[in-house]
């Protein structure tokens, strides 16, 4: 869940127009929030660290 938290935090920090009062604690709600943030993100460059953690997170999900 640490990787997912990083991904959410990164996307929220990147887009100051998005205001989330409370980050969900439930894993499914966090997945939905992350997916929503990805869907509304502008197409622009992103950090290598974000891409690496996203890659690791998705690989973990595939294994499950």
């Amino acid at each position: 869940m640490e990787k997912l938290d990083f991904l959410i935090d990164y996307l929220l920090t990147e887009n100051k127009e998005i205001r989330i009062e409370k980050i969900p604690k439930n894993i499914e709600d966090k997945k939905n929030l992350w997916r929503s943030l990805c869907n509304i993100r502008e197409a622009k460059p992103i950090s290598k660290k974000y891409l690496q953690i996203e890659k690791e997170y998705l690989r973990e999900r595939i294994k499950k």
Side-chain angles (χ1 to χ4, degrees):
M1 186 149 29
E2 193 174 304
K3 288 181 176 85
L4 185 55
D5 289 338
F6 171 85
L7 298 172
I8 290 169
D9 288 341
Y10 184 96
L11 294 174
L12 287 173
T13 301
E14 180 184 64
N15 189 340
K16 303 293 184 198
E17 293 178 15
I18 299 171
R19 301 203 193 321
I20 303 288
E21 288 184 28
K22 192 173 181 182
I23 303 294
K25 295 183 189 237
N26 174 307
I27 188 70
E28 288 304 315
D29 291 340
K30 282 187 179 201
K31 287 179 192 177
N32 288 335
L33 175 58
W34 174 64
R35 186 172 176 196
S36 297
L37 292 170
C38 288
N39 286 336
I40 62 171
R41 184 181 184 274
E42 290 181 37
K44 60 183 178 181
I46 198 162
S47 78
K48 288 182 182 181
K49 181 175 181 178
Y50 178 91
L51 293 175
Q52 181 61 39
I53 292 177
E54 181 182 59
K55 183 178 180 180
E56 292 170 9
Y57 171 71
L58 292 172
R59 283 189 174 160
E60 289 171 7
R61 284 192 62 190
I62 289 169
K63 285 181 183 179
K64 290 180 182 180

